[in-house]
């Protein structure tokens, strides 16, 4: 379906179609999403997996979700009843749960065309081809915005003024609600979030 493929820029916004693959997302002008896409699976999965698929599964470990959340993306869905648009933060409501009606299809997501300073990092036994133990996207654009994955039932978002950079890693860790599982303990995930946030701040503010 050609309408669900690719990405475009118009009227100051970037639109990513639901069928945009991770391989294609690596070439978008959204740095954090491009970095996250490089870590998803191997080449075969990146060539077949899509942004819409990550949204639809709504897994807390979905690597595309934190980069999209820090950009305040709007999700557009449609059915025979018409279209509606809602913020991504209102789209995912629980572990692998979202607000899609049974007859709705994800069309695309759109975001402000200015990518600002942003980055993505994750922790795992290796850099790719595994579910994240914890992940983090950071955006710096007049304020600090961080979103984490694999550290709560839904990917969380934390915001703070620029002058709160020193305390921001602790704020991010405190906002998470991780669990103990076979991939890592809750304590380890909180510690990893502090470390990732500090490193992401150094990368974006240097």
């Amino acid at each position: 379906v050609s309408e669900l493929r690719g990405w475009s820029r118009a009227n100051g916004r970037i639109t990513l179609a639901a069928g945009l693959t991770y391989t294609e997302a690596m070439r978008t002008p959204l740095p954090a999403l491009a970095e996250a896409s490089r870590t998803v699976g191997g080449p075969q999965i990146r060539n077949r997996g899509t942004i819409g698929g990550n949204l639809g599964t709504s897994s807390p470990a979905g690597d595309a979700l934190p980069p999209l959340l820090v950009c305040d993306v709007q999700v557009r869905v449609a059915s025979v009843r018409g279209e509606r648009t809602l913020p991504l933060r209102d789209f995912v409501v629980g572990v692998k749960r979202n607000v899609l009606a049974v007859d709705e299809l994800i069309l695309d997501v759109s975001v402000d065309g200015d990518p600002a300073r942003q980055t993505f990092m994750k922790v795992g036994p290796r850099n790719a081809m595994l579910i994240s133990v914890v992940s983090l996207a950071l955006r710096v654009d007049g304020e600090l915005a961080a979103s984490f994955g694999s550290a709560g039932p839904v990917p969380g978002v934390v915001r703070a003024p620029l002058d709160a950079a020193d305390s921001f890693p602790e704020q991010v860790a405190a906002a998470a609600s991780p669990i103990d599982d076979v991939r890592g303990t809750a304590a380890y995930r909180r510690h990893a979030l502090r470390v990732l946030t500090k490193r992401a701040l150094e990368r974006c503010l240097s």
Side-chain angles (χ1 to χ4, degrees):
V1 181
S2 60
E3 291 84 357
L4 299 180
R5 299 296 303 273
W7 66 275
S8 61
R9 189 198 299 262
N11 301 320
R13 293 189 68 79
I14 295 170
T15 299
L16 312 174
L20 183 77
T21 67
Y22 292 109
T23 297
E24 294 166 335
M26 289 163 55
R27 298 189 288 270
T28 65
L30 300 173
L33 178 63
E35 291 171 357
S37 297
R38 293 187 188 100
T39 73
V40 174
Q44 298 92 335
I45 292 175
R46 290 194 292 271
N47 286 336
R48 299 292 291 177
T50 64
I51 300 302
N54 222 201
L55 292 173
T57 56
S58 300
S59 168
D63 285 333
L65 299 184
L68 295 175
L69 277 163
V70 292
C71 289
D72 289 325
V73 302
Q74 298 288 311
V75 183
R76 188 166 64 107
V77 303
S79 71
V80 294
R81 295 175 286 108
E83 296 183 5
R84 62 184 177 122
T85 301
L86 67 160
L88 176 55
R89 63 179 178 274
D90 296 333
F91 179 81
V92 181
V93 295
V95 178
K96 298 184 179 180
R97 292 174 49 233
N98 57 54
V99 298
L100 270 182
V102 294
D103 62 343
E104 285 184 316
L105 173 75
I106 300 171
L107 296 179
D108 55 45
V109 299
S110 62
V111 61
D112 188 329
D114 179 9
R117 289 170 289 174
Q118 54 181 261
T119 192
F120 173 85
M121 299 179 177
K122 67 192 286 186
V123 170
R126 55 189 179 194
N127 289 332
M129 299 182 69
L130 280 178
I131 298 174
S132 300
V133 174
V134 69
S135 64
L136 179 101
L138 178 78
R139 174 184 168 114
V140 178
D141 183 19
E143 67 171 0
L144 304 173
S147 178
F148 50 79
S150 292
V154 298
V157 181
V158 184
R159 301 183 185 279
L162 290 174
D163 59 8
D166 288 345
S167 61
F168 197 53
E170 189 58 44
Q171 288 180 252
V172 173
S177 53
I179 61 171
D180 296 333
D181 64 15
V182 295
R183 290 182 288 123
T185 65
Y188 176 74
R189 286 184 163 100
R190 286 190 191 278
H191 170 71
L193 278 177
R194 293 186 189 96
V195 174
L196 290 182
T197 304
K198 182 178 180 180
R199 291 177 180 174
L201 286 168
E202 291 171 350
R203 181 180 292 179
C204 289
L205 295 177
S206 61

